[in-house]
Amino acid sequence: MSAQSNTEVRRITPPDIRGRKGGEPLVCLTAYDAPMAALLDPHCDLLLVGDSVGMVVHGLPNTLPVTLEMMILHGQAVMRGSKRALVAVDMPFSTYERSKEQAFDNASRILRETGCHAVKVESGVYIADTISFMAERAIPVIGHVGLRPQASLADGGFKAKGRDAASRAKVLEEAIAADEAGAFAIVIEGVAEELAAEITGRVKAPTIGIGASAACDGQILVTPDMLGLFDWTPRFVKRYADIKGQVEDGVKAYGADVRARAFPGPDQVYTSKPS
Ligand code: KIV
């Protein structure tokens, strides 16, 4: 039963995303708060509340300290700010790896408490059983293969994957396992174009690339990276704006105005009502 009225915008669903395999490329970005979600929503098919929030919003060195509570809080904000894009929320490190029951319980909490439409898990082959356990119980799941940021301690950093034959075979195996387990989309991060093309050709789910070439069925980027908030970005990011420069210019101008007592001016002050 749906409470959707005729004037409400229809949300993109997991079957819609799945149906885009081989079709018009999927436009995806990360989002962490309501105002930015509202700006991105009309232009995106999917908004991911990525656990990159730990690094790009909370200033953490990697994604490992991110908690379920943080993801739920940011997921709720993104849901409030968006109305059209599918919203997926990352399951943070140590909330799904111990058992499929642990994963199911935490994924249900994310869906229930945020109202989002799907969860994403970084999916080594050992996570395939967990994906099928959740998918069979009506939890839409996105897999994530290749460079897995939650494995950055074990990997010794954020390292591109699939650069030799053994690593290529491993990433392909991970993608096929996620696909067969029922992931409705698969993020491929940090792999060479040939491998991304091979995975995209072999799996039924649409692939969403980040640092994985245009051979994927869609693309995702970390929004503050592509909007130019930071001096440094990974090699695969293209900057589409200069948010950092604009913020710096705006704050400098504000500081100069305050020091010169030019702000607030007559337009920004309240006047007394005649008594
Ligand atoms: O956490 C995140 O932002 C992600 C994207 C990089 C896909 O997982």
Side-chain angles (χ1 to χ4, degrees):
M1 183 81 78
S2 166
Q4 205 172 38
S5 83
N6 287 340
T7 53
E8 267 179 82
V9 178
R10 181 185 167 281
R11 280 277 185 185
I12 294 173
T13 65
D16 294 333
I17 297 287
R18 199 176 171 82
R20 295 275 290 275
K21 176 76 187 174
E24 187 191 346
L26 291 160
V27 179
C28 315
L29 282 171
T30 64
Y32 314 105
D33 60 46
M36 187 58 90
L39 289 175
L40 305 178
D41 185 60
H43 311 285
C44 290
D45 299 303
L46 183 152
L47 295 177
L48 172 70
V49 186
D51 61 353
S52 51
V53 69
M55 299 173 75
V56 299
V57 175
H58 294 272
L60 294 165
N62 56 47
T63 57
L64 275 72
V66 173
T67 63
L68 199 62
E69 285 67 31
M70 287 163 77
M71 297 310 301
I72 289 172
L73 198 66
H74 288 283
Q76 289 167 338
V78 170
M79 282 302 293
R80 285 193 286 266
S82 64
K83 48 188 179 204
R84 176 184 166 272
L86 180 144
V87 175
V89 174
D90 258 345
M91 297 197 70
F93 175 68
S94 81
T95 65
Y96 62 97
E97 302 91 325
R98 185 159 46 81
S99 68
K100 29 194 209 218
E101 289 80 9
Q102 178 207 27
F104 178 84
D105 289 349
N106 286 328
S108 342
R109 228 192 112 187
I110 291 175
L111 295 186
R112 225 179 11 248
E113 294 184 27
T114 67
C116 79
H117 316 103
V119 294
K120 175 166 82 58
V121 291
E122 294 188 10
S123 41
V125 169
Y126 64 97
I127 293 295
D129 279 353
T130 299
I131 295 178
S132 55
F133 188 83
M134 292 198 284
E136 281 162 8
R137 286 159 182 78
I139 295 188
V141 185
I142 301 176
H144 180 153
V145 303
L147 191 167
R148 290 189 273 123
Q150 291 174 12
S152 64
L153 285 186
D155 287 349
F158 299 93
K159 304 257 172 72
K161 294 284 160 164
R163 299 187 105 165
D164 59 46
S167 173
R168 270 196 296 281
K170 187 161 180 279
V171 177
L172 181 61
E173 192 189 4
E174 286 168 359
I176 291 173
D179 191 47
E180 289 177 348
F184 75 91
I186 300 173
V187 169
I188 309 179
E189 179 165 358
V191 308
E193 179 161 13
E194 304 76 53
L195 178 57
E198 179 169 10
I199 294 173
T200 301
R202 297 269 300 263
V203 298
K204 293 187 293 304
T207 57
I208 301 173
I210 171 161
S213 86
C216 300
D217 296 301
Q219 297 296 322
I220 186 161
L221 283 173
V222 170
T223 300
D225 283 344
M226 59 82 78
L227 292 182
L229 184 61
F230 304 115
D231 286 326
W232 182 88
T233 53
R235 179 180 179 286
F236 56 79
V237 173
K238 179 171 170 185
R239 283 170 190 252
Y240 287 86
D242 177 27
I243 291 280
K244 179 172 184 279
Q246 290 203 312
V247 170
E248 282 171 349
D249 289 350
V251 175
K252 263 188 236 161
Y254 168 73
D257 274 1
V258 170
R259 283 180 211 105
R261 296 194 186 279
F263 173 83
D267 290 346
Q268 291 96 30
V269 294
Y270 294 106
T271 51
S272 313
K273 284 188 187 148
S275 45

